[in-house]
Amino acid sequence: IETLEPQAHDSYFNWNFFDYCLQQKEWFSPFSFEPLAEGLLLEKPLLRTEFETKKNTDPEFAVSRKRQLRFIYERSQFYEDTHLQYPVYRLK
């Protein structure tokens, strides 16, 4: 069972059996995603509020188009829901 724990010394994760869960396969093109991002901000008021708050509190974020688009992309239906998800679950 210890081999399934990602923090264990001899885990499958340490032996690189689950590297694929660290790799993001899907991505976006800023040019083509920008109109979709604008639409998402109009359709989802909670996302827009979160986005505006981040812009107002993070000066680096406020001037970075790339970071802004990534922020919206990661909260959209287009983002891979399996990215960074360890494929082993613990039942209690």
Side-chain angles (χ1 to χ4, degrees):
I1 290 189
E2 185 174 324
T3 58
L4 297 175
E5 291 293 334
Q7 297 88 359
H9 179 67
D10 269 340
S11 70
Y12 289 141
F13 189 77
N14 265 342
W15 284 96
N16 300 51
F17 282 90
F18 297 126
D19 279 355
Y20 65 88
C21 72
L22 302 174
Q23 299 166 348
Q24 188 173 358
K25 294 161 207 68
E26 300 293 328
W27 199 240
F28 67 93
S29 163
F31 175 76
S32 61
F33 184 67
E34 193 164 3
L36 289 171
E38 290 173 359
L40 288 169
L41 290 175
L42 291 173
E43 293 171 11
K44 301 182 178 201
L46 289 174
L47 175 61
R48 184 174 185 87
T49 302
E50 188 181 1
F51 177 75
E52 293 297 336
T53 302
K54 178 95 171 146
K55 268 178 56 174
N56 293 330
T57 58
D58 185 344
E60 291 178 17
F61 180 81
V63 296
S64 174
R65 174 181 176 241
K66 183 178 178 181
R67 288 182 64 193
Q68 291 174 13
L69 288 174
R70 182 181 177 131
F71 178 90
I72 297 167
Y73 177 72
E74 288 177 348
R75 288 156 180 79
S76 75
Q77 69 270 25
F78 306 110
Y79 185 67
E80 280 179 77
D81 55 357
T82 58
H83 181 231
L84 299 179
Q85 186 176 51
Y86 192 62
V88 177
Y89 301 89
R90 183 182 298 130
L91 299 175
K92 293 184 179 188

